[in-house]
Amino acid sequence: MTELETQLLSALEQLQQDYSQRLDEWESAFVELRKMSGLMQRENARLSEQVSSLSIQVQSLSEQLRRLSNS
């Protein structure tokens, strides 16, 4: 093997190692993003329920105020 071939092989091996490391990092990040997405979906559902509950309360209070105003 010539010196150039040895250097090219070494460079290729380094690129493969770098690629494998970055792929592992991306896969880990993707797993974390999926977890965060699940948490956000649950939080959004909880907040949506709270908004619905508050809307019902506001509507009830508005009706009570209207009745009091008409009395």
Side-chain angles (χ1 to χ4, degrees):
M1 213 190 257
T2 67
E3 178 64 26
L4 179 58
E5 289 171 330
T6 303
Q7 289 176 351
L8 288 172
L9 181 58
S10 177
L12 177 59
E13 289 171 346
Q14 185 62 47
L15 284 172
Q16 287 175 325
Q17 289 176 1
D18 291 348
Y19 173 79
S20 289
Q21 181 181 351
R22 285 198 171 63
L23 181 60
D24 289 344
E25 291 168 357
W26 276 102
E27 288 173 345
S28 295
F30 182 71
V31 167
E32 287 302 313
L33 282 173
R34 288 189 67 172
K35 287 180 188 175
M36 289 173 54
S37 175
L39 290 172
M40 287 177 58
Q41 286 177 349
R42 287 190 291 278
E43 180 68 9
N44 284 343
R46 188 183 67 78
L47 290 172
S48 181
E49 288 177 17
Q50 288 181 343
V51 167
S52 294
S53 176
L54 289 171
S55 293
I56 291 168
Q57 290 177 25
V58 166
Q59 184 178 1
S60 174
L61 290 172
S62 177
E63 289 173 9
Q64 290 176 22
L65 183 60
R66 186 176 44 81
R67 278 189 237 122
L68 287 172
S69 297
N70 290 336
S71 299

